[in-house]
Amino acid sequence: MLCFVTSSELFQHFCGGVHILEFITQEPDLYTVVVPTDWRLFFEYHEMPDILDLLMRQDLTLFESLNIPSKGICENLRWCSGPTPPLSLLEYIGDIRRFCLDRTCHQSKAAFPSGSETKLARHVAVGMNAKKVHEVSNLVAYVDSVASEISLNHACQISHFVDFGSGQNYLGRALASPPFDKKVVALESKPLNIDGARSMDVTAKLAKKEVIMRNKKQHRCELYGDMHRHKGASSARSAPKNKTSPPPSERRSHGQESNIGYVETIIQHGDLSSVISRINSSSTPSLPLPSTLQFSNLMVISLHSCGNLLHHGLRSLILNPSVRAVALVGCCYNLLTERLPPLQERPSSKLRVPNARLIQTSSAADPHGFPMSKRFLNHQHPGGSGRGIRFNITARMMAVQAPQNWTQVECDSFFTKHFYRALFQKILLDRGVIDGLGSVHSEDIKGRRETDNEKKEPIILGSLRKAAYTSFPAYVRAAIAKLSASPAHSALVAQNLAGITDEEIISYEQRYAHKKKELSIVWSLMAFSAQVVESAIVVDRWQWLQEQEDVKEAWVESVFEYGISPRNLIVCGVKG
């Protein structure tokens, strides 16, 4: 895998080397520069559904018995409605599939212990959609089974489960409920999430609603003043006093002790000593720690930890003696930071318009970022051209795609959205709102000129309302309106785009209509190839666990059905 991602020029182009926004703004365009000639000839004969089937699902052994030429295409050999794929394309598809981790979930049919058919009770599943119910049902049973195995094989009873980034605490709530009845500490940075989670704990019958008993007469006096002594009390009535603590007229009852405790904290590293000390010294009734019990054996868990949060969770296994195991499911690879600087001599790096965002993220040099493991950090590239594994923000954003789940309707929708956005970028270039890269020649990609774009922030349009995608003129009008409302772009947009007519907009769409299929092909190749990016990120996390002396076991497997929840890989580690 490491040799492939550092030596395959095609892979490097499709994973971070190109961006859809520059698809039409360059001459020759990216499709001509990046996609091999025989691939382009093959794609001309086939429609997108067949191309996607070839990438994602087609059994490649079908082509082994055919005498496919090593170069070019043979029109006498047929597949679907046209010639067979060129050999180099089949080899590339085979390489991508070979380096992708198995995403088949083998445990969902026995999600609960002892073969029980029990599902999440309705009051426990409050607030969950069908996807979340599937995730929580599978993960809570998986975590419980791992804890049971640790108890059996390591003579170590897990006392508490620490949920990194608990959010609404769906996972912790299910783990604290029957039939599991585990003690959970939820770490969350947003008070609003904690308040919402506490309310759902009441609904799930894990906590009693707070009871407030008041002396009504005294309470009214405290809020509005004495009605008899102050004739102007009506004005005070409309503006109650803000109070930071309960007044003397109130007596609050928190009810019984819960299996769930909440700690508001921003997790910036894996050291939990300050969190543990806060919990051990707390007398808050909701914290599941009797005064006679301190943290002994913890298991850190998480459902879809964003970015570096999963890295912090893994490092907690080494940085805290009381943490005995971790079981973490990651997501949002685009939020990962980068540990290594970019390699400027890569041919793929010469196809991108440099901008402040790309340069800033690629130059973060964050020790908490990717890669974690020494093996990924120090891997020598073939030919001595560099060291270490790098994926820029474009590659990591594509890694959160789920191309195996794409439907025909979804493809038509987002292919149109991407085409509109790329075509609008061409209008921005022609109208002088943005600068271009200059001429790019496939024979000499390294010869591009440096531009002032390296100092400029890219124009990030973001999402538009659904009505904007009914036609290209509607899209352009909605995009101009959004940019005009931005202080950073309003003056430039008003100066250069104010006079554009619908006829001009439609002429762009007609002139570049043939580019929609080409853009769809490149986007599909990017998403298909980025599956290896996700696999590499997960393998790096597993490799880091393998490199730690204190870790006795480390593994990765799928815990959700890919069709329901594609970010389904869990990384587990257990101390000896």
Side-chain angles (χ1 to χ4, degrees):
M1 175 192 284
L2 300 187
C3 290
F4 175 75
V5 301
T6 53
S7 64
S8 172
E9 189 172 305
L10 278 172
F11 176 82
Q12 293 169 10
H13 284 323
F14 293 134
C15 293
V18 296
H19 195 285
I20 290 300
L21 291 187
E22 287 108 41
F23 192 80
I24 305 177
T25 59
Q26 299 183 19
E27 290 294 339
D29 59 47
L30 288 181
Y31 186 71
T32 303
V33 174
V34 173
V35 181
T37 303
D38 52 353
W39 293 23
R40 300 199 306 270
L41 292 173
F42 165 76
F43 291 143
E44 287 180 6
Y45 287 93
H46 296 278
E47 298 302 319
M48 283 308 302
D50 291 337
I51 294 172
L52 289 172
D53 280 340
L54 175 65
L55 296 178
M56 313 298 174
R57 289 169 285 274
Q58 177 66 56
D59 182 4
L60 299 185
T61 58
L62 171 70
F63 304 103
E64 292 179 357
S65 60
L66 303 178
N67 189 22
I68 299 177
S70 58
K71 292 185 178 180
I73 61 174
C74 180
E75 296 189 20
N76 295 327
L77 299 175
R78 309 297 290 177
W79 175 78
C80 291
S81 59
T84 54
L87 188 61
S88 60
L89 175 58
L90 292 174
E91 290 174 347
Y92 183 79
I93 294 172
D95 285 338
I96 295 298
R97 293 184 184 181
R98 182 158 55 99
F99 295 121
C100 288
L101 295 177
D102 181 15
R103 311 304 288 271
T104 306
C105 177
H106 299 288
Q107 72 116 22
S108 62
K109 293 183 180 179
F112 282 81
S114 305
S116 171
E117 296 298 326
T118 306
K119 295 183 179 180
L120 291 179
R122 180 175 296 182
H123 60 271
V124 175
V126 61
M128 300 186 198
N129 58 22
K131 176 175 177 285
K132 187 63 67 177
V133 168
H134 173 77
E135 293 168 345
V136 172
S137 298
N138 277 24
L139 188 54
V140 72
Y142 186 88
V143 166
D144 179 65
S145 66
V146 171
S148 298
E149 290 180 8
I150 293 173
S151 176
L152 181 64
N153 299 330
H154 298 272
C156 173
Q157 185 71 37
I158 298 297
S159 63
H160 296 80
F161 295 81
V162 182
D163 190 353
F164 261 43
S166 59
Q168 297 290 322
N169 197 33
Y170 296 124
L171 176 61
R173 188 172 303 109
L175 199 57
S177 303
F180 305 102
D181 296 311
K182 304 298 184 182
K183 294 188 179 297
V184 176
V185 176
L187 307 184
E188 172 58 37
S189 63
K190 298 179 180 179
L192 189 62
N193 282 342
I194 294 177
D195 291 341
R198 289 185 189 276
S199 298
M200 284 188 278
D201 289 345
V202 174
T203 305
K205 302 178 182 178
L206 291 173
K208 286 186 176 181
K209 188 175 182 179
E210 184 181 51
V211 177
I212 302 176
M213 302 180 68
R214 291 191 179 102
N215 180 320
K216 294 182 179 179
K217 183 180 292 186
Q218 184 179 354
H219 180 67
R220 282 195 296 268
C221 290
E222 290 168 351
L223 286 179
Y224 310 116
D226 192 323
M227 298 288 291
H228 299 287
R229 288 184 297 175
H230 301 282
K231 301 299 183 182
S234 58
S235 60
R237 183 183 297 273
S238 62
K241 300 176 182 177
N242 293 325
K243 296 185 182 297
T244 58
S245 59
S249 62
E250 290 186 3
R251 186 160 55 89
R252 297 176 180 246
S253 173
H254 295 275
Q256 63 185 13
E257 184 176 310
S258 169
N259 269 357
I260 304 176
Y262 294 91
V263 177
E264 181 185 338
T265 182
I266 298 176
I267 302 170
Q268 297 179 323
H269 46 70
D271 186 357
L272 299 180
S273 56
S274 61
V275 174
I276 293 173
S277 64
R278 285 171 57 187
I279 296 173
N280 283 337
S281 62
S282 175
S283 59
T284 304
S286 63
L287 290 173
L289 287 166
S291 58
T292 57
L293 176 64
Q294 300 296 304
F295 268 22
S296 52
N297 297 312
L298 310 182
M299 183 173 181
V300 173
I301 60 174
S302 183
L303 172 55
H304 290 153
S305 294
C306 292
N308 288 358
L309 184 59
L310 189 136
H311 291 183
H312 300 328
L314 291 177
R315 288 192 171 96
S316 71
L317 183 63
I318 304 303
L319 297 177
N320 305 277
S322 56
V323 176
R324 306 297 302 175
V326 293
L328 307 163
V329 182
C331 71
C332 302
Y333 306 118
N334 54 303
L335 299 180
L336 282 172
T337 56
E338 299 177 42
R339 191 171 174 183
L340 295 171
L343 290 175
Q344 298 296 339
E345 65 271 17
R346 276 189 180 180
S348 59
S349 66
K350 305 302 179 181
L351 293 175
R352 294 295 304 273
V353 173
N355 59 68
R357 184 190 187 198
L358 182 63
I359 294 173
Q360 182 181 5
T361 55
S362 297
S363 307
D366 185 355
H368 297 291
F370 172 86
M372 293 185 71
S373 66
K374 292 180 180 178
R375 184 170 184 180
F376 276 59
L377 191 66
N378 297 317
H379 175 75
Q380 292 293 328
H381 297 196
S385 58
R387 178 184 67 86
I389 304 299
R390 297 162 174 81
F391 298 124
N392 66 18
I393 189 171
T394 304
R396 289 181 278 111
M397 288 185 74
M398 293 304 299
V400 300
Q401 291 289 324
Q404 302 285 353
N405 291 345
W406 290 354
T407 66
Q408 183 63 49
V409 174
E410 290 172 339
C411 288
D412 291 342
S413 175
F414 58 69
F415 286 159
T416 298
K417 290 180 179 180
H418 296 321
F419 174 62
Y420 283 176
R421 182 62 185 91
L423 197 50
F424 181 62
Q425 193 79 355
K426 176 63 174 173
I427 293 177
L428 294 178
L429 175 65
D430 291 348
R431 289 274 177 158
V433 178
I434 61 172
D435 293 330
L437 179 64
S439 180
V440 177
H441 300 285
S442 55
E443 296 84 5
D444 185 19
I445 295 176
K446 294 183 179 180
R448 78 161 176 87
R449 302 188 304 272
E450 297 294 329
T451 72
D452 291 337
N453 283 329
E454 297 183 8
K455 300 178 182 179
K456 294 182 178 180
E457 291 290 339
I459 291 181
I460 300 176
L461 187 59
S463 60
L464 299 174
R465 52 191 174 83
K466 189 175 181 180
Y469 299 98
T470 55
S471 67
F472 186 55
Y475 179 89
V476 172
R477 296 302 178 194
I480 291 175
K482 186 171 184 178
L483 292 177
S484 298
S486 168
H489 307 300
S490 58
L492 197 59
V493 168
Q495 178 183 349
N496 294 279
L497 292 175
I500 192 169
T501 64
D502 283 353
E503 288 74 17
E504 291 178 273
I505 296 172
I506 293 172
S507 70
Y508 271 93
E509 185 177 17
Q510 293 172 342
R511 194 186 324 157
Y512 294 99
H514 65 286
K515 293 295 182 184
K516 182 177 179 180
K517 180 183 176 181
E518 297 175 359
L519 182 147
S520 302
I521 290 170
V522 172
W523 177 265
S524 300
L525 286 168
M526 290 168 65
F528 172 68
S529 303
Q531 294 176 107
V532 175
V533 175
E534 178 177 23
S535 295
I537 291 172
V538 174
V539 170
D540 170 59
R541 295 164 174 176
W542 169 82
Q543 177 65 35
W544 182 86
L545 287 171
Q546 292 280 65
E547 293 172 355
Q548 309 308 309
E549 293 182 2
D550 293 339
V551 176
K552 185 175 182 180
E553 297 180 68
W555 69 94
V556 173
E557 62 181 311
S558 302
V559 288
F560 312 134
E561 295 290 349
Y562 184 88
I564 300 176
S565 180
R567 306 282 80 78
N568 66 344
L569 295 171
I570 190 167
V571 183
C572 299
V574 181
K575 279 182 184 175

